[in-house]
């Protein structure tokens, strides 16, 4: 989707397998943040400029690097905490790093009305049907493996989507 919609996407992930998946999905670059200082690599890729927006689903392990990847007036969208909650950020810290913006959206705010939910679902399914978004079910679990599925999710050892078979 990213390559077609204009922006050059730089992905970060915690494993080489997840980086490969990001590249396959259209990212221009993929950086394994467990092996490399991704903020420094983002600066290198952007000629020292940084990026306009970072979407961070990881939280604690990547939050500071995400801030350090931003260009002046950049926006950090912190929407997950897979590695733990992001730390509190003093407002002066955002000023010193280039007048940055940070937001923490929640799914339920976006799903507040049936109409908004339906519009988002319609958009998603239209993109899937058009081939812009590919849904990959990398893990399959039988119903009696539900505990293992939860352990795998909590351990962040899954890649892509998982399917529970009943």
């Amino acid at each position: 989707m990213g390559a077609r919609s204009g922006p050059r996407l730089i992905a970060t992930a915690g494993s080489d397998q997840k980086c490969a998946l990001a590249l396959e999905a259209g990212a221009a670059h993929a950086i394994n943040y467990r092996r490399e200082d991704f903020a420094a690599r983002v600066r290198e890729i952007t000629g020292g400029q940084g990026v306009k927006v970072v979407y961070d689903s990881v939280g604690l392990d990547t939050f500071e690097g995400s801030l350090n990847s931003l260009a002046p007036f950049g926006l950090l969208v912190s929407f997950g905490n897979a590695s733990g909650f992001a730390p509190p950020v003093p407002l002066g810290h955002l000023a010193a790093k280039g007048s940055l913006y940070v937001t923490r959206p929640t799914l339920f705010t976006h799903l507040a009305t049936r109409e908004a939910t339906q519009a988002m679902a319609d958009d998603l399914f239209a993109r899937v049907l058009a081939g812009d978004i590919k849904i990959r079910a990398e893990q399959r679990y039988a119903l009696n493996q539900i505990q293992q599925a939860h352990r795998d999710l909590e351990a962040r050892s899954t890649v892509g989507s998982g399917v529970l078979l009943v």
Side-chain angles (χ1 to χ4, degrees):
M1 181 172 110
R4 293 183 196 166
S5 61
R8 179 175 57 154
L9 300 176
I10 303 170
T12 61
S15 73
D16 291 339
Q17 185 180 18
K18 291 179 182 181
C19 285
L21 184 62
L23 291 169
E24 186 179 313
H29 304 273
I31 306 160
N32 184 333
Y33 65 79
R34 293 186 183 181
R35 290 190 301 121
E36 188 174 358
D37 177 347
F38 74 90
R41 181 75 176 107
V42 166
R43 293 280 174 185
E44 180 183 319
I45 292 167
T46 62
Q49 300 300 305
V51 295
K52 292 180 182 179
V53 180
V54 171
Y55 295 95
D56 188 331
S57 65
V58 177
L60 182 63
D61 290 353
T62 56
F63 189 78
E64 190 66 31
S66 292
L67 284 176
N68 291 334
S69 296
L70 289 169
F73 305 106
L75 170 65
L76 170 56
V77 181
S78 175
F79 68 97
N81 46 280
S83 66
F85 292 103
V89 180
L91 295 179
H93 192 62
L94 300 176
K97 289 185 177 288
S99 301
L100 303 181
Y101 298 88
V102 176
T103 187
R104 177 63 185 207
T106 65
L107 178 61
F108 294 111
T109 304
H110 290 276
L111 300 176
T113 67
R114 184 186 188 296
E115 295 78 19
T117 303
Q118 188 64 56
M120 286 186 287
D122 291 345
D123 181 53
L124 171 63
F125 285 107
R127 289 173 181 256
V128 170
L129 290 172
D132 293 335
I133 297 174
K134 308 239 185 309
I135 299 173
R136 298 173 49 149
E138 299 293 324
Q139 295 80 212
R140 298 178 190 286
Y141 299 93
L143 185 56
N144 65 359
Q145 295 176 304
I146 189 72
Q147 290 179 337
Q148 185 61 49
H150 279 276
R151 282 192 290 271
D152 291 349
L153 285 170
E154 290 171 9
R156 297 169 54 203
S157 64
T158 60
V159 176
S161 298
V163 175
L164 182 62
L165 305 170
V166 284

